[in-house]
Amino acid sequence: MRHGTVTEPARILVVGGGYVGMYTALRLQRQLRTELRAGAVEIVVVTPEPYMTYQPFLPEAAAGSISPRHVVVPLRRVLDRCRIVIGEVLSIDHAHRVAHLSTLATTQPHSGMGKKRTGTTRPGTSTAPWEGTSTALGEGTSAALGEGTSAVPWEDTDNLWEALTRPAQNPAIPTQPPAVPGKALGTPGKAPRAPATPGRDPGTLALPYAELVLAPGSVSRTLPVPGLRDHGIGFKTVEEAIGLRNHVIEQMDIASSTRDLAVREAALAFVVVGGGYAGVEALAELEDMARYTARYYHNIRPEDLRWTLVEASDRILPEVGEEMGRYAIRELRGRNVDVRLETRLESCEDRVAVLSDGTRLPTRTVVWTAGVRPAPVLAATGLPLDARGRLRCTTRLTVEGVDHAWAAGDAAAVPDTTATEPGGTCAPNAQHAVRQAKVLAANITASLRGRPLGEYAHAYAGSVASLGLHKGVAHVYGRKIKGYPAWFMHRAYHLSRVPTFNRKARVLAEWTLSGLFKREIVSLGSLEHPRAEFELAAAPPPDHHDKPSS
């Protein structure tokens, strides 16, 4: 690729398939349609999951108002002109423009038939974080989250490498980025060093690129709280949201079937840590769902359920303003939710949540939503980071002081030119991410075609938050709204923002049907171990040599 015009093939590597990653790739495949058809450009998206999760709908998915399959968007269907690689970027050598990644294929043993799928683990997540409870997805397992999204985990590593580096249509496309004369990175006037021979390290692949888009998103920010790793439950993925729904209903089953008051008390106590959007909306929706579900238990009343919201600051939902935050507290406390401000979780060992004010709460459920942090891969890029671990970016969404590297979303510290105070950066939310993706794709296209780059600027429009069915708060363009109008605005806004007409129609249909029929209250926790029943049936019969004599 010669600067100014697209004269040689270029690989655009997009790291991450979330808001920014999906929307950037989607716009690139539209804007570069001619180049893609001619084989002059290819777009590769590396993502841990074959779908994009629309996170604002996770609370409603947990409450059963939306099917889990409809809060995710299958990337292979939407990005039909891109190559989707299910894996994780482990490190980046941007001086030579090479990314090192692992995929589902690199984890497979090279033993011919009978390979066992081991998969990869998303950064910042763990398996089975709560004891004694199945953690499966609800309606629709993880393998069925999106039509057409299944990966092919059985490919041989070498074949996968060939698939990644083989040109889509034009056999003349090189498998490493071309020389960029006069650039600061690498040796001026020379092509970047070729990547290491694939296959030398059986656990990684080396993928060269011409342009790098970093949009890995964020992971849950945890603190060294004793017992949190063993007993905490996150709320950032669709698997966690549906697993939490199953867990809450299962705790009600436990409480209903025991005469041990200590066990019952712990089962019906739910602690949510974090008073931001994720924590408040998750608690509000799940409390609504659990209160409704209690009517079908002969020995559980809604007032038996004890919900506690723990927030370290002196307010909740700071995005909607202080007045609306106080209203949200009154609304939650009116539903028998114990809201603890200026309080921290000190420990959750032995199924007891210990708070900084000395309160001890026996509980089997601790939901952790106390913030996020940038994806760990950013620390392995060698690119400039700010104090919070985000990439330092310009208003053109380029990485500061670096050529051919772009970033946006949670991973990027983008200057907020509309802020009243100088030096501020854009908040890591979907409102900015979607708009940044639009500018980012346009700037990459302009860079390839030798056109001037645009700058990102967006004045914060406000926020909306749901407090359960028919309840909400909003602060939009200076106007404060609460109750049913705010809840309706919350749904209307997010329905307009969820990607693809297919998903919009399905979500709207589910909302319509939920207004006509009763809630689903079933827990499908056993889906976490689908072979358990078969393994039990296939087990050898027990030894009966010690039968009593007749």
Side-chain angles (χ1 to χ4, degrees):
M1 182 187 70
R2 190 166 61 241
H3 188 68
T5 57
V6 178
T7 57
E8 295 183 11
R11 174 179 294 140
I12 302 173
L13 174 62
V14 180
V15 179
Y19 292 114
V20 174
M22 191 203 76
Y23 278 111
T24 300
L26 179 62
R27 291 183 177 276
L28 282 173
Q29 74 176 11
R30 292 173 179 170
Q31 296 171 7
L32 298 174
R33 186 181 296 108
T34 302
E35 289 86 347
L36 286 168
R37 219 173 2 238
V41 171
E42 68 172 349
I43 305 169
V44 177
V45 180
V46 180
T47 174
E49 305 291 355
Y51 51 83
M52 187 276 274
T53 303
Y54 190 70
Q55 292 183 343
F57 279 159
L58 289 183
E60 293 205 48
S65 299
I66 303 176
S67 169
R69 288 175 294 179
H70 299 159
V71 303
V72 297
V73 179
L75 295 178
R76 296 188 190 279
R77 172 183 291 179
V78 176
L79 306 178
D80 56 338
R81 297 185 186 91
C82 303
R83 290 182 177 171
I84 309 300
V85 179
I86 307 305
E88 298 172 15
V89 172
L90 304 177
S91 63
I92 293 174
D93 180 2
H94 192 64
H96 301 97
R97 276 180 274 164
V98 175
H100 300 275
L101 59 144
S102 66
T103 70
L104 290 177
T106 61
T107 63
Q108 307 306 314
H110 291 261
S111 56
M113 296 296 292
K115 296 178 181 179
K116 180 180 178 180
R117 174 174 179 169
T118 58
T120 57
T121 302
R122 185 187 301 104
T125 63
S126 58
T127 57
W130 46 81
E131 296 181 5
T133 304
S134 300
T135 61
L137 289 172
E139 305 159 11
T141 63
S142 58
L145 281 171
E147 308 95 305
T149 63
S150 59
V152 184
W154 322 114
E155 295 182 79
D156 182 82
T157 303
D158 297 330
N159 293 337
L160 177 60
W161 167 258
E162 292 175 6
L164 288 177
T165 57
R166 183 176 62 248
Q169 301 175 34
N170 188 345
I173 295 180
T175 60
Q176 70 180 66
V180 184
K183 293 299 178 183
L185 294 175
T187 304
K190 296 183 179 180
R193 178 175 57 84
T197 303
R200 287 183 180 176
D201 183 351
T204 63
L205 295 174
L207 181 65
Y209 59 83
E211 301 287 338
L212 174 66
V213 179
L214 284 165
S218 57
V219 297
S220 295
R221 182 192 63 189
T222 58
L223 299 175
V225 176
L228 181 61
R229 180 181 177 87
D230 297 325
H231 303 293
I233 307 171
F235 197 79
K236 190 164 173 56
T237 67
V238 67
E239 294 89 348
E240 289 173 330
I242 306 307
L244 182 57
R245 166 189 168 83
N246 293 331
H247 173 78
V248 169
I249 296 177
E250 185 170 295
Q251 296 311 301
M252 298 178 71
D253 290 337
I254 291 173
S256 177
S257 58
T258 183
R259 294 184 178 181
D260 189 321
L261 293 180
V263 172
R264 176 185 170 90
E265 180 183 3
L268 296 181
F270 307 94
V271 177
V272 178
V273 183
Y277 277 125
V280 172
E281 290 190 338
L283 183 148
E285 292 285 355
L286 286 167
E287 190 275 337
D288 248 359
M289 182 270 295
R291 182 160 28 88
Y292 176 87
T293 304
R295 69 178 66 181
Y296 297 100
Y297 288 83
H298 70 282
N299 57 352
I300 296 180
R301 300 171 301 169
E303 50 268 29
D304 293 335
L305 302 167
R306 296 185 299 112
W307 293 84
T308 303
L309 178 64
V310 179
E311 168 57 36
S313 69
D314 60 353
R315 55 193 290 194
I316 67 173
L317 296 176
E319 298 85 354
V320 298
E322 187 174 353
E323 181 181 341
M324 290 296 96
R326 289 197 301 267
Y327 169 82
I329 292 175
R330 292 197 303 270
E331 172 67 27
L332 293 175
R333 285 174 173 168
R335 290 155 57 179
N336 202 31
V337 175
D338 183 6
V339 180
R340 303 287 185 99
L341 301 178
E342 299 181 283
T343 307
R344 298 180 307 277
L345 177 69
E346 299 287 351
S347 170
C348 56
E349 292 182 305
D350 302 323
R351 298 195 185 279
V352 176
V354 181
L355 307 183
S356 58
D357 60 6
T359 304
R360 298 175 62 87
L361 301 172
T363 179
R364 297 169 60 92
T365 309
V366 175
V367 184
W368 183 268
T369 64
V372 296
R373 60 184 177 89
V377 68
L378 298 183
T381 62
L383 299 175
L385 306 178
D386 69 356
R388 298 173 57 184
R390 298 180 300 172
L391 291 164
R392 292 205 307 267
C393 295
T394 68
T395 54
R396 296 179 176 184
L397 303 181
T398 59
V399 177
E400 193 175 277
V402 181
D403 293 321
H404 307 292
W406 314 76
D410 292 359
V414 179
D416 187 356
T417 57
T418 66
T420 56
E421 298 181 3
T425 57
C426 297
N429 55 36
Q431 186 176 146
H432 282 295
V434 174
R435 290 171 173 84
Q436 287 174 0
K438 181 179 179 179
V439 176
L440 178 54
N443 279 352
I444 294 175
T445 302
S447 175
L448 294 175
R449 294 174 177 173
R451 298 173 182 172
L453 306 185
E455 296 193 357
Y456 176 76
H458 171 67
Y460 191 58
S463 301
V464 291
S466 171
L467 298 179
L469 191 63
H470 300 160
K471 297 172 284 290
V473 291
H475 190 185
V476 182
Y477 294 114
R479 301 195 62 177
K480 301 169 184 176
I481 308 170
K482 57 188 178 183
Y484 185 89
W487 170 83
F488 183 83
M489 183 179 294
H490 171 270
R491 279 198 164 184
Y493 173 78
H494 287 299
L495 181 65
S496 70
R497 294 300 175 184
V498 68
T500 78
F501 176 78
N502 178 300
R503 285 301 181 265
K504 295 180 196 293
R506 290 176 182 272
V507 169
L508 183 60
E510 287 196 298
W511 281 343
T512 303
L513 291 174
S514 66
L516 301 175
F517 300 100
K518 297 179 179 180
R519 283 180 185 256
E520 292 291 342
I521 62 169
V522 66
S523 168
L524 299 177
S526 59
L527 288 177
E528 176 70 12
H529 306 286
R531 296 188 66 250
E533 191 70 24
F534 180 79
E535 289 175 348
L536 182 64
D543 190 357
H544 296 293
H545 291 306
D546 298 330
K547 291 183 178 179
S549 57
S550 55

